[in-house]
Every structure is written in C-alpha cells, then in structure tokens.
Amino acid sequence: MRSNTHRRRSMPIRHRVTGVDLVGACRAFVSVSEHGSFTVGADAARMSQSVASRRVAALEERFGEQLFERTSRRAVLTSFGRDLLPTARQLVQAADVLLHEAESAKRKPWRLAMPAVCPTAGLARLVAEARAHAVTLEVRVATPAQRQETVHARQPVRSHGEASGAPAGRVHAALLAVPPGEATWSVPLGLAGAQDPGVRRLYVETLRPGRTTTGPAARIWIQPEDDVPHIRDPLTRLRDAVGLRPAQLTTTNDLAHAAAEVLCTPDLLLCSPAQAEEFGLDWRPIGEITLRRGYALATADGRAQHIEARLGEALARCLGARSGTGTTGDATAGGTGT
C-alpha cells in the first residue's frame, strides 16, 4: 500500500504559477522569444539565466506543453509557444502599465484640510515629514464648519495662501473640531493679553464691569477656530454666570484685528499657548473652567487609522498637541497655575 506522502508527491502541480509569478514568468517567456536566447533574453529582462529558465519551465509545466525547442545555440518557439506569445506580451504590457499608474498615483498630492490656527512653519514641517513617509501632502486651511462640510460632501477648499479668486481643490481628509472627549489630539485654551506676571490663572469674573478701574470693560475675543459649541457655549454660560455684558464676549473673523486690539487695550484673546507666544502675549489658563480644542482626523475614504499611523505624531506637533491620549499635558507658554 502506498503511503500518503508518496501519493502527494505523485500528484501534478497545477497552480505553481500564480499572481505576480505569472507576470514574471511571462516576462521571461516574451524576452527569451524576442531574443532567441535564454542568455540574452534573461539579461534584457534584468534577471539571471537560471531564473529565466526556471520561470519558463514553470509555465511549460503549468500548461503541459513546451514553449521552446531548445538547441545548443538558440531557443526556438514551438507552435504552441507562437500561439501564446501575443497574449503573454499583452499581459506583460498590462503589468507595466499598472506599475506605472501605481507610481503616478503615489506621487499625486494628498489634500488635507487643516485649522487656520496652525502656523506656516508648522505646516511646512508637516509637509516635509509627510514626504519622509512617501506621502505628498497638500495642506488646505479652513474653518471648522468648512472642514466638516468638505470631508463629507467633498466640496472644494482653497489651499493655504490661495487668493479668493483662485480655483479650489477637493480634499481627501480633514482635521475636524470635536469635543475633547472624542478627540485624538487636544490643545489647551486660555486667555492671552498684557497681564500681571504674578497671575497664574485668569478668572473671567475679574472682567465684570465695575471691577475695572478706568476705561471700557475688557472683551474676550473668540477666533473662528473656537467658534464651535463645545468651546463657545461653556464660555457664554460663564460670561452670563459671572455678570459680564454680552458684548464682552466677541467673535471675530479677523484674527489679526483681534490680536491688535489685545495688544493695544486690556482685551484678551482666547487662544492656545503657541498662538500667544506667536503674538508676544502672556497666556494664562481660565480659572473657572477648562477649555480645549479637540481634533479628530476624518477621511473621505475611511483610511483615518492608516494616515494616523504614518502622520499622527507630525500632526500632533503641527497642532501643538500630544497624540494618542486625547489630551495634552499642562505645559503652557507664559506660566502654569493651579
């Protein structure tokens, strides 16, 4: 009685040439046929003669017919080989086209909608780090509402620095503004202005009219990036609870104008420590409440985790956040406090 091992060895191998191996075998077959020599054909196909011989032999074993009549000097196609050559050549050409298209696709820019509060230097470093991960990144800045609409509806968003009349492009992903509890990255917010160096936390209550000695009541400026419910609403409730006037909480679409007001008046800017440092302002956390910007990556094709794995740390640095925890540390520019 024959053993199972013997029966397995005697069975014909039917699928030795599959997938990419089939393309490589056909490449060897076509090149040898065009040059009439295994030596010259293998060299033209950039493979060794032994590899070319094995690949052609694998094809012949798979088809059950010889492709070449081998002589000491030349490799001559058999009638069967001549019949298969046109199709094999088409397969090799199609594979070359596919490889070319794959390389072209990798070089296409991957458009990402980012918050406008990210500094230009930070965006430049993000783009440079993306290249190290073989990602050609194209940054587009937008407001929270625009980023939300763009990534889901695939609406055009203008790139950083584009004029208003310039054509807008579509994005593949966006950093969405989300509550800190849902965030992949978060950034602390506080109030920045020309403040007493001894103040460790700034209480909004101290801005109540009547508490200031002279001049108009100081305002808190909210920039577009923070005009979202999970930031604006708690601050509005705090304003009403401590007795500030409605006009003391002001939303602006012009960050430069708001920063200029803060530099020239007792007004305060709601911002991150990095932004305060950029404008030369003293930053303090808010005494009554804790506010943070939260961000999560959303992609139009559902590849958020793939992109986070490659660019997560770079995105965190650009935002001034720490990735992977949903929170940043308590380190701040201009001091800390309890």
Side-chain angles (χ1 to χ4, degrees):
M1 181 176 180
R2 294 184 179 179
S3 67
N4 290 335
T5 302
H6 180 78
R7 285 201 301 270
R8 283 196 298 268
R9 287 177 178 174
S10 63
M11 293 175 65
I13 300 174
R14 298 185 180 277
H15 297 288
R16 180 172 294 178
V17 184
T18 59
V20 176
D21 292 338
L22 180 60
V23 175
C26 286
R27 192 179 299 279
F29 167 46
V30 170
S31 188
V32 171
S33 67
E34 289 177 344
H35 294 86
S37 165
F38 274 87
T39 302
V40 180
D43 185 64
R46 296 184 179 180
M47 63 183 73
S48 67
Q49 181 178 348
S50 60
V51 169
S53 297
R54 285 197 303 269
R55 289 181 176 179
V56 171
L59 272 182
E60 292 177 328
E61 183 176 359
R62 175 65 182 88
F63 297 145
E65 293 283 349
Q66 277 195 317
L67 297 171
F68 293 101
E69 293 178 357
R70 294 166 176 81
T71 67
S72 58
R73 294 186 177 181
R74 292 188 57 81
V76 181
L77 283 170
T78 63
S79 175
F80 180 75
R82 287 193 297 272
D83 289 341
L84 290 192
L85 180 60
T87 304
R89 185 178 285 117
Q90 290 175 2
L91 177 61
V92 172
Q93 291 172 345
D96 288 341
V97 171
L98 178 61
L99 291 173
H100 175 76
E101 291 298 322
E103 288 299 319
S104 297
K106 287 194 296 185
R107 290 192 295 268
K108 286 183 179 178
W110 196 77
R111 297 187 180 95
L112 174 64
M114 291 284 290
V117 294
C118 293
T120 301
L123 293 173
R125 285 191 292 270
L126 173 62
V127 172
E129 290 190 53
R131 290 185 184 178
H133 292 279
V135 177
T136 303
L137 194 63
E138 186 175 300
V139 172
R140 312 239 163 188
V141 298
T143 66
Q146 289 172 336
R147 299 197 303 272
Q148 179 78 32
E149 180 182 3
T150 298
V151 74
H152 293 304
R154 302 295 299 274
Q155 295 299 313
V157 170
R158 301 192 184 284
S159 63
H160 187 53
E162 277 185 335
S164 59
R170 299 184 183 278
V171 302
H172 300 91
L175 276 181
L176 302 186
V178 299
E182 304 172 13
T184 304
W185 307 275
S186 69
V187 180
L189 288 175
L191 297 174
Q195 301 164 14
D196 184 347
V199 175
R200 295 172 65 82
R201 284 186 178 270
L202 201 154
Y203 287 82
V204 174
E205 179 189 11
T206 62
L207 305 180
R208 188 170 64 240
R211 299 289 297 267
T212 55
T213 55
T214 59
R219 295 168 291 182
I220 296 175
W221 291 89
I222 300 178
Q223 50 192 305
E225 186 60 28
D226 301 319
D227 190 18
V228 291
H230 58 272
I231 296 176
R232 180 191 60 241
D233 293 353
L235 196 56
T236 301
R237 289 193 294 268
L238 176 60
R239 176 201 66 187
D240 297 339
V242 300
L244 268 62
R245 297 169 182 166
Q248 285 185 264
L249 192 60
T250 304
T251 301
T252 178
N253 289 322
D254 188 343
L255 178 57
H257 170 75
E261 289 293 317
V262 172
L263 288 168
C264 298
T265 70
D267 289 356
L268 299 166
L269 178 67
L270 182 70
C271 65
S272 68
Q275 282 186 295
E277 184 177 3
E278 181 182 357
F279 288 117
L281 301 171
D282 292 321
W283 186 94
R284 300 291 184 271
I286 300 173
E288 296 95 341
I289 57 175
T290 298
L291 294 178
R292 292 180 181 274
R293 292 174 184 150
Y295 294 104
L297 183 67
T299 59
D301 55 6
R303 298 172 63 228
Q305 290 184 342
H306 173 71
I307 297 302
E308 285 178 21
R310 301 172 76 177
L311 299 179
E313 292 298 328
L315 287 168
R317 284 189 290 272
C318 187
L319 293 168
R322 183 181 300 165
S323 65
T325 62
T327 61
T328 61
D330 290 331
T332 61
T336 61
T338 58

